[in-house]
Amino acid sequence: MTIKNTNEEQTSSTSTEVLAFKDVYKDYPDGDTTVHALAPTTCTIHAGEFVAVVGPSGSGKSTLLTIMGGLQQPTGGSVSLDGKEYSRMSRKELAQLRFSTVGFVLQSSNLVPFLTLEEQLKLHSSYAHEKYDARRAASLMEDLDIEKLRGKYPDELSGGEKQRAAICVALYGRPAVILADEPTASLDTSRAMGVADIFAQATRREHTAVVMVTHDERLLTECDRVLTIQDGKLQESTPEQASQQV
Ligand SMILES: Nc1ncnc2c1ncn2[C@@H]1O[C@H](COP(=O)(O)OP(=O)(O)O)[C@@H](O)[C@H]1O
Ligand SMILES: [Mg+2]
């Protein structure tokens, strides 16, 4: 169940702009033609918002997410994260901003193949020059029901376990934004709802903004906003409207 924010929390959480798109669009060259993957888009994501992105296959969802995270540049327009505009940053600055601000759960696994789950978390702390937070690690692993996997390598995990491990790593550093591309695709209903619940908790407790691409209409009830995308055109929608489309 979602427990809604108190009014006070709501006000403080929605006032902070975390991610801003201004006239952002993306074209991919495709032989002699051009694929207009993302039409000019202006939108803002605030701290503490749980935003779902829904749309058919090929509609531009992954393009949107990777541009949000600075993993690829748009063809035009400006993207700002935490008030910093990507196009004004060097590659190194962008990589540092990404590390400190964004938790990715991508479709291709973003786990390091030669590290165990716990070592991935320790690597994060070490790169951030922070002490390993064993309590946070244990609590996340418990929430995601992966405590038994802490000593395992990604290769030793099933698809669903890998997905939950990636979610654990993404949440561990308390990023300002989680960008998740179909993070529950390999999970059964109860685990998928569990993940949506964990994301919802992060938005309330830590004011994390979560942008989650999903095909699962049951998860929309947990979200504050739904963006639908069709042929690269993004539209604001309500969970109810979007459920009919999914
Ligand atoms: N690297 C690329 N080069 C060329 N076309 C691409 C590339 N990535 C995606 N596309 C095209 O852009 C459109 C949107 O793709 P994508 O963002 O992956 O959609 P979705 O995640 O909604 O399935 C599709 O037509 C896809 O074929
Ligand atoms: Mg995709």
Side-chain angles (χ1 to χ4, degrees):
M1 270 307 290
T2 316
I3 302 154
K4 284 289 170 202
N5 287 341
T6 64
N7 286 340
E8 193 184 315
E9 270 177 346
Q10 194 84 281
T11 319
S12 65
S13 66
T14 51
S15 56
T16 322
E17 190 175 288
V18 181
L19 198 57
F21 263 37
K22 193 158 180 290
D23 302 322
V24 173
Y25 69 98
K26 181 74 180 177
D27 294 336
Y28 294 112
D30 183 22
D32 296 339
T33 60
T34 301
V35 179
H36 302 293
L38 190 65
T41 301
T42 296
C43 72
T44 309
I45 310 287
H46 299 95
E49 270 186 333
F50 191 175
V51 183
V53 178
V54 299
S57 176
S59 58
K61 304 180 298 295
S62 297
T63 301
L64 176 76
L65 224 61
T66 49
I67 292 176
M68 280 181 165
L71 294 175
Q72 65 169 336
Q73 295 297 323
T75 309
S78 80
V79 185
S80 308
L81 178 64
D82 242 2
K84 295 166 197 95
E85 198 189 322
Y86 288 165
S87 66
R88 295 171 191 269
M89 305 175 81
S90 68
R91 284 178 75 94
K92 192 176 169 195
E93 286 167 337
L94 181 56
Q96 267 162 357
L97 179 68
R98 243 190 338 243
F99 174 78
S100 60
T101 315
V102 186
F104 287 103
V105 185
L106 298 176
Q107 278 176 303
S108 57
S109 173
N110 42 314
L111 297 169
V112 183
F114 50 83
L115 295 179
T116 65
L117 170 57
E118 189 166 37
E119 284 166 353
Q120 323 247 353
L121 303 177
K122 288 182 173 170
L123 174 71
H124 186 101
S125 292
S126 132
Y127 193 73
H129 304 293
E130 282 166 9
K131 215 172 141 247
Y132 175 57
D133 188 345
R135 273 177 65 180
R136 175 154 178 87
S139 136
L140 281 171
M141 286 189 226
E142 190 188 333
D143 288 349
L144 288 155
D145 193 20
I146 50 174
E147 304 110 297
K148 290 202 184 100
L149 309 180
R150 69 168 67 217
K152 300 228 178 202
Y153 293 93
D155 256 6
E156 300 174 293
L157 308 178
S158 72
E161 289 170 344
K162 233 182 254 181
Q163 214 153 28
R164 282 178 285 143
I167 292 164
C168 179
V169 175
L171 283 165
Y172 172 75
R174 293 191 172 83
V177 191
I178 293 273
L179 299 175
D181 204 348
E182 302 192 33
T184 63
S186 315
L187 305 181
D188 61 40
T189 303
S190 95
R191 288 211 194 280
M193 291 303 286
V195 165
D197 237 15
I198 289 166
F199 282 153
Q201 270 177 37
T203 64
R204 289 193 301 269
R205 292 187 188 157
E206 285 150 17
H207 291 307
T208 309
V210 177
V211 183
M212 175 181 72
V213 170
T214 184
H215 283 293
D216 193 340
E217 90 175 88
R218 287 160 305 190
L219 306 186
L220 301 183
T221 54
E222 293 274 6
C223 298
D224 304 310
R225 275 168 77 191
V226 182
L227 302 174
T228 53
I229 185 165
Q230 185 109 39
D231 295 330
K233 294 185 190 75
L234 204 66
Q235 260 193 326
E236 198 80 38
S237 172
T238 63
E240 295 72 31
Q241 287 166 337
S243 295
Q244 291 167 358
Q245 258 183 275
V246 175

